[in-house]
Amino acid sequence: MLTAVAAPAIIGVANAATGPALPGPSPLDTGKVEGGKVEFPNWRGEADRPSPAPPAPLPPDQRVGFAIVGLGRLSLEQILPAFAECKKARAVALVSGSPEKAKLVAAQHGISDSAVYDYQDFDRIADNPQIQAVYVVLPNGMHREYVTRAAKAGKHVLCEKPMANNSAEARDMIAACDQAGVKLMIAYRCQYEPYNRETIQRMRSGELGAARFIEATNTQVMGPADQWRFKKALAGGGALPDIGLYCLNTARAITGEEPVEVFARIFNPDGDPRYREVEETIGFMLRFPSGTIANCSSSYGAHESKDLRVRAEKGWINLENAFAYEGQELRVAHREGKAESIERLRLPQRNQFALEIDHMATCVKENRVPHTPGQEGLQDHIVMEALYESARTMAPVSLAAVGELDATRGPEPRQEG
Ligand code: NAD
């Protein structure tokens, strides 16, 4: 059946050069400005997901200015590009020991030469009011020094994981930031990544019952010996603090609990000079007070694999590439009458580094405690030290019970508009 449609408004004027006048845009086409944001009505049918709202970034001069300390792979490959997707943060300064690299990177990202510092003159950041926060992306053994110096310069600090080399350094860093009255956040990107967050929320909602097992794997194959990750003074340890940390931190974030008993075994290949100071492979188990057991595997000598499984009373969750930068695939299984239903979720694509950096910017702007503050990093160091002790003594190690859920975390991050 044919239905009559209203004639569109004609806004153009027909003339010989432009041809017939075109219909003007409708409110569905133009959208509207509301509350300082551009909004479009949903143009898709009910059966499809609406397209995500357009990003609503703050004007650059209202965003929190970050100095990036250390121009290694993570800074250049992930963090600086992620600023392009940030809505509340911008990169305004760089700190590097390589002047040629720093000059080039500054030009690439529109950062002025006068906002490029080296490690010696780092403390001069105190005089640059554009820098409100410092993102420390240096080898782990340098985190304490640069977090402390940034705090003394009066700047808020976002520090890469692992927080430090050990819990004593982590405590110093928390004290330095408290004393200076600045915020300290540890860059646990997975706690801001949508698929990991969905996993945590599903388990916390109780829909799948209690988790009996969490199985987390983070492995990769490492290259040549001459890199800081094989030097204990710079790395603190091997696979455990670098990548096994994701398994530990995620198991803690899913349960919200702290482990009361841990057990670990370490393996190092004979005669491999890379593993004189740090471990290649570690398998570890965490027992949580509610009964959940986490079995975690991490290695520098097994082909890349970064997966998470939660086996619960009424279903399971599989998150492929859980700890990777991209490629997450989430499946949730539970009974559906006579059938086993396996749901595969596709969430809107978001850059997890941008979400994490914007969270820090929000905390600075709104004077909030970060979701992953220094205490969250310290707690991982406390558990990692117990894991090393267990591996050394080949016996389980007990840890003090923590009654409260999420004892080391600040409020949940909001989805940043
Ligand atoms: P990288 O080796 O690529 O970069 C390290 C940078 O530090 C280099 O620019 C190097 O020149 C500089 N540096 C200064 N002094 C140094 C010294 N004495 N020895 C070695 N390097 C020195 O390392 P990266 O992968 O960028 O890691 C940096 C930090 O980021 C580490 O804490 C690491 O754990 C963390 N990281 C986090 C993620 C994540 O997904 N969140 C991923 C990779 C690395």
Side-chain angles (χ1 to χ4, degrees):
M1 191 180 76
L2 290 175
T3 351
V5 288
I10 307 290
I11 54 165
V13 177
N15 67 38
T18 59
L22 296 173
S26 73
L28 188 69
D29 300 321
T30 54
K32 62 177 180 201
V33 173
E34 196 151 296
K37 294 181 180 177
V38 178
E39 285 181 0
F40 291 107
N42 186 13
W43 60 283
R44 288 187 178 157
E46 272 298 306
D48 281 355
R49 288 173 294 158
S51 54
L58 290 176
D61 63 349
Q62 289 175 31
R63 294 186 214 166
V64 173
F66 280 74
I68 316 302
V69 189
L71 298 182
R73 292 166 192 82
L74 186 70
S75 290
L76 298 199
E77 294 170 4
Q78 303 297 331
I79 292 170
L80 280 162
F83 273 97
E85 292 180 57
C86 283
K87 300 170 184 76
K88 298 187 173 171
R90 64 178 177 142
V92 295
L94 301 176
V95 182
S96 168
S98 314
E100 193 193 2
K101 180 168 61 173
K103 197 173 162 52
L104 174 64
V105 175
Q108 288 169 338
H109 291 273
I111 294 169
S112 77
D113 280 348
S114 62
V116 174
Y117 303 84
D118 63 26
Y119 298 117
Q120 285 70 42
D121 72 2
F122 173 77
D123 308 292
R124 282 203 303 110
I125 63 167
D127 306 326
N128 184 340
Q130 276 206 325
I131 303 172
Q132 288 161 279
V134 167
Y135 193 165
V136 177
V137 201
L138 289 165
N140 315 337
M142 300 173 74
H143 290 181
R144 173 174 54 177
E145 176 183 346
Y146 284 88
V147 167
T148 306
R149 286 169 72 181
K152 283 204 178 117
K155 309 297 180 183
H156 302 288
V157 196
L158 174 56
C159 176
E160 259 311 324
K161 50 51 62 183
M163 181 172 178
N165 272 359
N166 52 50
S167 62
E169 291 182 4
R171 285 183 210 279
D172 284 354
M173 292 154 73
I174 292 172
C177 291
D178 282 351
Q179 209 174 2
V182 298
K183 296 187 189 303
L184 172 58
M185 170 172 152
I186 310 304
Y188 285 110
R189 59 180 167 78
C190 290
Q191 290 202 44
Y192 303 90
E193 189 283 316
Y195 287 89
N196 280 264
R197 289 188 57 70
E198 180 77 18
T199 303
I200 293 169
Q201 279 157 12
R202 291 240 174 177
M203 289 313 303
R204 297 289 187 96
S205 75
E207 63 182 88
L208 299 178
R212 287 284 178 266
F213 289 105
I214 295 172
E215 293 158 15
T217 302
N218 202 344
T219 62
Q220 64 195 39
V221 175
M222 297 296 282
D226 191 22
Q227 48 182 310
W228 66 264
R229 282 184 167 82
F230 297 120
K231 299 169 190 162
K232 189 158 191 233
L234 287 166
L240 176 61
D242 191 24
I243 53 177
L245 179 64
Y246 288 95
C247 306
L248 164 61
N249 188 260
T250 300
R252 291 181 49 239
I254 287 174
T255 60
E257 300 172 31
E258 296 305 335
V260 284
E261 192 180 24
V262 304
F263 181 70
R265 292 302 298 265
I266 281 175
F267 167 79
N268 287 325
D270 276 346
D272 188 330
R274 295 175 300 176
Y275 301 108
R276 282 196 196 117
E277 297 184 19
V278 301
E279 75 284 353
E280 188 221 55
T281 296
I282 182 164
F284 59 94
M285 185 186 266
L286 313 168
R287 184 169 68 76
F288 291 92
S290 63
T292 305
I293 288 176
N295 282 313
C296 306
S297 324
S298 186
S299 179
Y300 273 168
H303 181 68
E304 186 168 9
S305 154
K306 298 174 182 294
D307 304 330
L308 173 71
R309 313 253 182 277
V310 187
R311 304 191 195 274
E313 290 171 305
K314 294 192 260 176
W316 51 251
I317 296 182
N318 278 10
L319 180 53
E320 300 292 318
N321 297 314
F323 313 126
Y325 297 152
E326 57 190 15
Q328 285 76 25
E329 279 181 31
L330 179 61
R331 287 185 303 145
V332 183
H334 51 84
R335 178 185 160 186
E336 189 93 34
K338 280 192 199 164
E340 167 86 338
S341 149
I342 302 179
E343 198 189 335
R344 183 169 167 240
L345 266 85
R346 266 200 293 167
L347 300 174
Q349 202 61 50
R350 300 296 300 271
N351 180 318
Q352 54 187 298
F353 287 95
L355 292 171
E356 163 214 289
I357 296 165
D358 268 345
H359 176 71
M360 177 66 178
T362 302
C363 292
V364 169
K365 284 188 91 65
E366 299 179 9
N367 191 21
R368 286 167 50 194
V369 177
H371 183 55
T372 52
Q375 285 75 7
E376 175 76 342
L378 167 61
Q379 183 61 20
D380 276 336
H381 279 293
I382 291 170
V383 180
M384 287 194 287
E385 284 164 8
L387 289 169
Y388 281 132
E389 190 191 333
S390 170
R392 189 178 55 77
T393 58
M394 291 200 213
V397 171
S398 296
L399 286 159
V402 176
E404 205 188 324
L405 284 187
D406 295 311
T408 59
R409 293 181 195 97
E412 286 296 306
R414 284 197 306 260
Q415 172 98 2
E416 306 299 342

